[in-house]
Amino acid sequence: MLTLCKIDGVSYDVLITAISESFNVVEGSNSGIALYRQREIRDLMGVKIGHTITFSPDNDPDAFDALTSYLFGSVRPYVTLEVVHNQTTIAYEAAYSTGTRRVRHIDDNNDIVYWDELTVDFRPMENQVNHE
């Protein structure tokens, strides 16, 4: 069975409601515009594939709290992210520095905070595809 997402080898029992995949063609310092003919010169280095993943607490609020505690609990330079890509998965060292979530509801009677979805942007530390 294909797992949608693992973070540092752990598949949290949370509902994943969206995965967006993006790519960035990385260019070196020799890229630019040629003075003669004004033609673009490309110094291709490779491709980085990143992901924006939206997690929902609806499946298991305790697992959602565990996920957010892991991501927010300490500062780490990267995580190892394994996520769907085409018909399989791709694994890479991913930095993350932005994410959003908001409070859905607070139950004052039981001191419980209900959260909406958490969206995290993961970006690769290195090219996954290198230019030959």
Side-chain angles (χ1 to χ4, degrees), residues 75-126:
V75 178
R76 54 183 56 82
Y78 62 86
V79 295
T80 300
L81 181 69
E82 183 179 347
V83 63
V84 295
H85 173 73
N86 293 335
Q87 301 305 309
T88 183
T89 61
I90 185 172
Y92 60 94
E93 292 178 343
Y96 63 96
S97 56
T98 59
T100 58
R101 70 176 180 164
R102 65 181 188 171
V103 172
R104 177 188 307 169
H105 168 94
I106 297 176
D107 180 346
D108 290 331
N109 296 327
N110 297 309
D111 290 331
I112 299 174
V113 178
Y114 295 93
W115 289 94
D116 270 337
E117 296 176 326
L118 167 69
T119 300
V120 181
D121 296 316
F122 295 96
R123 62 186 188 283
M125 299 288 289
E126 299 177 348

Side-chain angles (χ1 to χ4, degrees), residues 44-59:
L44 301 175
M45 305 297 288
V47 177
K48 289 184 175 185
I49 302 168
H51 294 85
T52 299
I53 304 174
T54 302
F55 305 94
S56 171
D58 292 342
N59 194 39

Side-chain angles (χ1 to χ4, degrees), residues 2-92:
L2 189 65
T3 301
L4 291 177
C5 174
K6 289 182 183 178
I7 299 172
D8 286 338
V10 177
S11 177
Y12 292 88
D13 190 22
V14 296
L15 182 64
I16 296 175
T17 59
I19 297 176
S20 296
E21 187 173 70
S22 59
F23 73 93
N24 179 27
V25 176
V26 180
E27 298 195 35
S29 60
N30 293 320
S31 293
I33 303 295
L35 294 176
Y36 178 74
R37 294 184 57 201
Q38 296 296 299
R39 181 175 172 84
E40 184 174 347
I41 298 171
R42 299 190 74 189
D43 179 17
L44 301 175
M45 305 297 288
V47 177
K48 289 184 175 185
I49 302 168
H51 294 85
T52 299
I53 304 174
T54 302
F55 305 94
S56 171
D58 292 342
N59 194 39
D60 184 343
D62 292 332
F64 186 76
D65 285 349
L67 170 64
T68 57
S69 292
Y70 186 76
L71 292 175
F72 303 167
S74 67
V75 178
R76 54 183 56 82
Y78 62 86
V79 295
T80 300
L81 181 69
E82 183 179 347
V83 63
V84 295
H85 173 73
N86 293 335
Q87 301 305 309
T88 183
T89 61
I90 185 172
Y92 60 94

